[in-house]
Amino acid sequence: MKAAVTRSAIAAVLGAFALASGTGAWSQARSCLERVQTAPQAADFAAAAARQSPAVVSIMVTENGNERPVAGEMRPSMPWERGWGRGFASGFIIGSDGYILTSAHAVAGAQAISVVTADQRRFDGELVGVDRVSDVALLKVPASGLPVVVLGRGSELCPGERVAAMGAPFGFERSVTAGVVSANPRYIPGGSGVPLIQSDVALNPGNSGGPLFDERGEVVGMNSMIYSPGGGYFGMSFSLPIDTVMRVANELRATGQVRRGHIGARTQPLTPELAPAFGLASTQGALVVRVDPGSPAAEAGLRSGDVVLAVGADVPMGYADIQNHVAAAHKGNRITLKVWRHRAPLMVQVDVAENPPDVSPRPAGRSAAQETRFGLELAERKGVLGISLPSPGIYVQSVSGSAQLAGLRYGDMLIAVNDVEVASLADFDVATRSVRESDTVALLVMRGSARSYVPILPRSAPRAPVARRAGDEAVPTP
């Protein structure tokens, strides 16, 4: 895994603005100092966590097949939230009528989504829309009167401010980790140009989609990814500013998708090391690294090595502003780019195309049709116990449906159904013969040397408060 490329504070741009170029970083430093000095007394993290906790949810997803690849263009490929057909994620409630935010990479393409609230109610989640460019997904559950988070402004966070994350790493609900903001904004090399909050808050599998909140107890971001050579936390985590998240969420709620203009030019931020190579005194602007053949940018004559200084204006813009102005343009519009080429400015007219909206199939949910053995394919093993042989009993061969959602997996041994011991398939069938679709069934499972009861939830009855998930907490998902 490549390390993230660092990016320093944005300054001013262009040789013509050289006299002002040294003031940009100082302006940002002054604004951060004023923010800290004028901010109200920061709340205790424990109190902030207690206020946000009721609106934080745990999310389980199931998918066809044993392992769903991680999606999300802006997110490094890592074995996060993956398991045997089931994954963990986090989310938070933004609407008392059941609207919930989480990460797109955690739920896109899911067969079924299950949401567990702080009071242990479980709901089937409807996927309203996903946007994998920003890694935002909007869910809806059939509930009302839900607690909601208090929103702040992630774009105003300054390096050194304390922040905390809440989520369900490895399925452990509402876990809190704390740290400080390392940089804001931060752009990931090869990413989609979405600004991120970099911090040293510990994030682990299952934290994706959970809230990042500040000392005031306000949600300032949504946890999205880490940078790591091996998939575990190595001191660098990244969250989407809540300002960006809510803009995407509002569009998803209104139309179910996000439409963006594009011109077919791939860019990266300028750094203090790169800017002098192009004859610029500061780091504002967007450096073109590739132009797609046949794209509007190619037809307009844009080329690799150009620096886009502004869109529709003479005043130099920051990298994020340039990205946002292009994305906000509609298909068929023509925009004017102020470009720096061969150490001289020029104006370029570019027609705007449109990225196809991100459409993800709706989760099918659990079928109301009768399941055979809760979706379990079982095998009965007979014989005496040996050192290298499994114990005689009933073993899981494959899972689907309700059993998959409950977290059962290949190799699990079934010991009891509720309080009735089972040693054969005939015992299992007798013990489950009288089970109705509205009943919750507890299966006693042996996984390795650990035993735990796993609830198989009713498929047709309204979701009632249920106990915590069992099984995977004792044996973390790989």
Side-chain angles (χ1 to χ4, degrees):
M1 184 67 66
K2 295 182 180 179
V5 177
T6 59
R7 179 179 184 272
S8 62
I10 296 175
V13 98
L14 258 182
F17 294 86
L19 294 178
S21 64
T23 64
W26 285 106
S27 298
Q28 185 186 30
R30 282 198 298 270
S31 64
C32 285
L33 181 61
E34 291 168 0
R35 171 177 165 83
V36 174
Q37 289 177 337
T38 60
Q41 182 65 34
D44 181 77
F45 262 167
R51 286 198 301 273
Q52 298 291 9
S53 180
V56 178
V57 302
S58 300
I59 297 171
M60 287 187 298
V61 298
T62 58
E63 59 276 343
N64 293 307
N66 284 338
E67 193 168 280
R68 175 167 50 83
V70 174
E73 288 78 358
M74 63 173 291
R75 185 174 184 270
S77 176
M78 299 176 295
W80 277 33
E81 295 82 36
R82 296 190 212 171
W84 295 71
R86 186 176 79 153
F88 292 118
S90 303
F92 52 97
I93 304 168
I94 59 169
S96 61
D97 53 349
Y99 283 95
I100 295 168
L101 284 170
T102 189
S103 292
H105 72 259
V107 297
Q111 181 188 24
I113 301 172
S114 183
V115 177
V116 182
T117 57
D119 58 2
Q120 295 300 292
R121 286 184 292 168
R122 190 184 299 258
F123 300 94
D124 288 334
E126 174 194 354
L127 185 59
V128 177
V130 296
D131 179 51
R132 278 173 278 204
V133 173
S134 62
D135 198 25
V136 174
L138 183 65
L139 306 179
K140 179 71 167 64
V141 297
S144 60
L146 297 175
V148 298
V149 295
V150 178
L151 300 179
R153 290 185 60 83
S155 59
E156 295 179 355
L157 279 178
C158 294
E161 286 195 63
R162 295 178 64 202
V163 287
M166 184 179 292
F170 301 105
F172 293 100
E173 296 95 337
R174 280 165 292 285
S175 298
V176 178
T177 53
V180 299
V181 176
S182 304
N184 185 33
R186 176 72 77 200
Y187 296 92
I188 301 298
S192 59
V194 177
L196 298 170
I197 301 166
Q198 180 189 334
S199 74
D200 65 353
V201 173
L203 299 181
N204 285 293
N207 271 120
S208 288
L212 183 77
F213 56 88
D214 61 15
E215 288 185 288
R216 300 161 182 81
E218 298 176 346
V219 172
V220 292
M222 184 175 76
N223 303 316
S224 180
M225 63 181 175
I226 60 173
Y227 244 53
S228 165
Y233 172 70
F234 271 71
M236 294 180 67
S237 56
F238 298 89
S239 306
L240 288 158
I242 196 63
D243 324 54
T244 300
V245 174
M246 290 306 298
R247 282 196 297 270
V248 172
N250 290 336
E251 196 164 347
L252 291 176
R253 184 169 182 173
T255 65
Q257 56 192 17
V258 177
R259 295 187 177 275
R260 292 184 175 87
H262 84 96
I263 59 175
R266 311 304 173 92
T267 63
Q268 71 177 67
L270 283 172
T271 65
E273 295 80 14
L274 284 172
F278 296 91
L280 294 172
S282 66
T283 57
Q284 282 188 304
L287 175 60
V288 177
V289 296
R290 192 182 78 184
V291 175
D292 296 337
S295 67
E299 294 176 358
L302 213 61
R303 62 184 70 170
S304 176
D306 286 346
V307 179
V308 179
L309 301 176
V311 180
D314 287 332
V315 180
M317 294 179 175
Y319 183 74
D321 287 338
I322 292 172
Q323 298 279 9
N324 290 336
H325 273 71
V326 174
H330 297 292
K331 181 179 179 179
N333 289 355
R334 173 168 288 189
I335 57 177
T336 301
L337 304 182
K338 186 173 185 178
V339 174
W340 185 256
R341 179 185 296 168
H342 300 318
R343 300 176 183 256
L346 71 151
M347 309 303 286
V348 177
Q349 301 286 325
V350 185
D351 292 326
V352 177
E354 184 178 81
N355 278 319
D358 197 348
V359 178
S360 182
R362 293 290 191 266
R366 290 184 291 170
S367 171
Q370 181 66 40
E371 289 180 318
T372 302
R373 293 174 176 164
F374 313 113
L376 290 167
E377 182 181 333
L378 301 172
E380 184 178 333
R381 293 177 180 169
K382 300 179 179 180
V384 297
L385 175 62
I387 295 177
S388 60
L389 297 175
S391 305
I394 312 170
Y395 288 85
V396 175
Q397 298 299 297
S398 66
V399 294
S400 62
S402 298
Q404 186 184 44
L405 185 61
L408 274 75
R409 60 177 66 167
Y410 172 81
D412 286 344
M413 178 181 178
L414 303 187
I415 300 172
V417 177
N418 296 333
D419 54 357
V420 178
E421 292 188 4
V422 294
S424 66
L425 291 176
D427 290 345
F428 183 87
D429 289 338
V430 169
T432 59
R433 187 170 296 159
S434 61
V435 172
R436 299 167 300 179
E437 286 192 356
S438 59
D439 291 341
T440 297
V441 178
L443 301 182
L444 182 58
V445 176
M446 171 81 79
R447 180 175 297 167
S449 60
R451 293 189 181 198
S452 62
Y453 271 101
V454 178
I456 304 292
L457 301 180
R459 294 179 299 137
S460 58
R463 298 293 180 262
V466 296
R468 286 194 55 179
R469 297 191 303 273
D472 278 332
E473 285 80 2
V475 184
T477 302

